[in-house]
Amino acid sequence: MKGLFIISGLGVLAMLAEIFKFKKLLYPLVLIGILAAYVTNFMEWNNNTNIEMFANMMRFDNVALAFSGVILVTAFFWFILANDYFEQDHVTDHFALVLFALVGAIMLTGFSNMTTLFLGIEILSIPMYVLAASRKRDLASNEAGFKYLIMGSFASGFLLFGIALIYGATGSFDLMAIRSFISHAQGDLPAFFYAGVLMVLIAMLFKVSAAPFHFWAPDVYEGSPTVITALMSTIVKTAAFAAFMRLFLVVFGGVNESWSMVLAVVIALSLVISNITAATQQSVKRMLAYSSISHAAFMLMAILANQRGMTSVSAILYYSLAYSVGSIAAFTVLYNISKAKGNANIEAFNGLGKRHPFMAVCMVIAMLSLAGIPITAGFFAKYFIFSVMIGTTFKWLIILAILTSAVGVYYYFKVIIAMYFKQEDGEQEVTMETSHVLLLALTTIFTLALGIVPKYVIEIFT
Amino acid sequence: MLVGLLIIVPLIASLLVFFTKGNTSRTVALGLSVVEFILSLVVLFQFKHNPASADLMLNCPWVESLGIHFAVSVDALSMLMVLLTTFLVPLIILSSFNTSYEKPNSFYGLILLMQMALVGVFTANDGFLFYVFWELALIPIYFICLLWGGENRGRITFKFFVYTLFGSLFMLVGLVYLYNHTGFETGIKSWAVTDLYEAGKSLNLQQQSVVFWCIFLAFGIKMPIFPLHTWQPDTYVNAPTQGTMLLSGIMLKMGTFGLIKWLMPVTPLALAEWGWLAIGLSVFGIFYASCIAIVQKDYKRLIAYSSIAHVGLIAAGILSANQQGIQGAVMQMLAHGVNVVGLFLIADILMRHTGTREMGKLGGIRNMNGNFAVLFLIVMLGSVALPLTNGFVGEFLLINGVYQYGAWVAAFAGLTVILGAVYMLRSYQAIMLGEKRDSAIAFGSLVSTDKWVLYIICFAIITFGVYPKPLNDLAEEGTKAILTYIK
């Protein structure tokens, strides 16, 4: 909870930095601030009193703290990755926007009222629209920002409408009140309540870019500056899933028969569309965009499973951590490659195994993790999802997920094959600054460590 | 604890080797793999001495809440497989001394990493751990084939990887399904192998059939069994020699071993229902692969097909689910592992000395190097299972076991012994005998490391052909233990 204040304070501080001219100090300050927020997060762990804030608008229980922990860890890694980004113009604006997006993300982990949900989503999204367009002389970046804005606002409209309908049926914005209303009604709910639930579902599916609401994602991911793409596919995703989970496992869990079939179809579509399209991509950035849709589908499966106590929650937590760390590693390599070669196509990776073995090895481990091969974090992530799914009636989705995972291996391995098998063309030297080397080493160790001792995350709530 | 060391030593060895440079890599790798072999002999001694010793078991929780344990142990069956692995890896490393690979540290590091995973597969006593090691074995061999393979390696190794991964994922589903049915009485789910056996037996025929085919797919691809074999010949031919040796000598045994330990005791009903189909495929595969082997021109490719034929018989023996069949399969796994490494080394020697593996261009090498001719002959005879070679014991038991299942199967399987003799003898004739061809003239004498590897292999072929008792006793013990679960 205090973490939220610290990050908000940092955001305000970033805006002041322009006036009081301490721009240079800002970067270390932000890193320290994120660590401090992380530490306060730790200190609040298992503190079961006073977790309700602002007249029960927010509620920072262990689940919220765990997810904001994931967000803060990823944010710390992300700031190391993005150090370049804060050396161009509009430095303080960039800082402030990213930090406010983080505030929104943390809010989404701990909301306990429909209004805070909406606020969180908007606080997260609006800076992201601007950041997507932050390479302001680049047409693709402008297009990305514009598309993201239009589509995102459309989804927010759905969300608001859904919230209104639910309010109309239940008479409350409070999550717990809605929950108890649902359980007392025992199926005797007006039809427009279900319409509201489905609208909220659609809005959330938009935000996590699940098919068929995914059309914005590849263009936005490709057009945005690479570091912003990394931000979108990690932090924004984790936050959106934390919110999704809280809504559909906790609040609408009682009416799951009304949305589970819809969700199952969405998952099936996402798995098939994303993996098959990703396999045909030339640009690695775009491929990662499509693959993120497939990872979203996996996390949605845990929500669909709606399983015994905390197992679904910890499966999602583990998945988002594994996926975020793996993605940050992949984006770090991608960022350095595209800086050196001028594009993010698969050919740019040719011969990297010889030219920069360290980078290549880290990329291999990131790809293995994203593809879900033991003994990386990604394998356990997928395994935990399977193990919550196998007890449900949606066993066919597991088979589909396995078939599409095999396709996933195809496109992740295209990168590996390019690095080790293809001859490089062109002369550009690929170099990496020390901070990025450290970041890669850190994320790689993290990926392996998560795979070797998964229990510290998976048993976190027990 | 000893068994833990068996897994840790190759892991540490591989990390050490990654940090070496140049020719020291291979020396260090060889030294450490010999250490591992000695360690496995110590384990064998301990096992003989006191099979229930605490040194031979290790069980510590990994993810307690999900019933996942790091549980490894040595029984008669896994002891044999571990010995095969630790015996072959030093030979494989030694056989590479005459080829200079780029980045030798990675090459030998990956071989040792693979060894770690293989020992893990053979000793794992926890279904989840088994799966993890099973997949882990795939990664080093993929990179060995991708980085040091022949032409087209990108496409071919990729096919190999996706094929096997695809099978493995189905195995994972099968295993998770079983896991989900464990702890029916206690309510505590567990991955322990005996609990999975119990869970499997509690299922009805239909459920067992699903599990059977899911898991069989993974093993069938790994071995490989017709019609899942299409990745194999290209991969074997394209991989560097040491990669091929690892694939055929040891990795193939993961499939057959898995069949014995992780499939047969789990789904007895499905086995009774579907055994005929699985055996039919295996036996047809023998016939099919033998026929293709006869018309091969490339010697390495011929061995690749012969390997499919051999493994088909092994699978048929296992699936016939009787004492002779399984025991023969175990013996044949050991013999085939040793012999096929010898054959691939011979193919590699031919390639290095004459520049070709095409049998039409070879001939009369015996005139140039009689010593090599004798060694080749011994390995070849071991492979066609002549009495007094190591191949005979297993093959005899296998055909015996298959006969108990059905005379028609044995007739078919027996036919393949003849076909095997046809292509093996013909290839020997084409390469070694007859007119001295141009390619043979420059053959010269063998390098000492090659000679030593062949000596050791020939020694093993003859010793265990004349006196198979120690191995046979272990195989019998292991088979009996498994059969108590199947019955």
Side-chain angles (χ1 to χ4, degrees), chain B residues 1-10 12 36 39-40 42-44 46-47 50-60 70-74 82 119 123:
Chain B
M1 205 48 239
L2 267 177
V3 61
L5 274 182
L6 268 181
I7 294 175
I8 292 167
V9 168
I12 294 172
E36 170 81 356
L39 185 65
S40 71
V42 174
V43 173
L44 175 67
Q46 180 78 5
F47 181 75
N50 176 14
S53 153
D55 268 353
L56 300 176
M57 276 170 235
L58 180 68
N59 191 345
C60 40
F70 192 95
V72 285
S73 75
V74 172
V82 168
V119 173
T123 52

Side-chain angles (χ1 to χ4, degrees), chain B residues 96-169:
Chain B
S96 72
F97 273 37
N98 300 303
T99 321
S100 65
Y101 288 105
E102 256 183 78
K103 287 204 226 152
N105 56 341
S106 315
F107 185 73
Y108 295 105
L110 287 171
I111 290 182
L112 290 168
L113 196 62
M114 172 113 182
Q115 186 181 20
M116 188 270 295
L118 289 165
V119 173
V121 165
F122 294 138
T123 52
N125 243 341
D126 178 284
F128 191 83
L129 189 68
F130 171 74
Y131 180 79
V132 167
F133 277 127
W134 173 275
E135 287 286 301
L136 211 54
L138 189 58
I139 298 182
I141 193 69
Y142 171 74
F143 280 99
I144 289 173
C145 295
L146 177 68
L147 294 172
W148 294 277
E151 262 175 75
N152 275 334
R153 56 187 193 268
R155 189 178 53 78
I156 288 166
T157 51
F158 183 68
K159 182 176 174 186
F160 157 61
F161 190 89
V162 171
Y163 228 115
T164 44
L165 185 78
F166 188 71
S168 311
L169 284 172

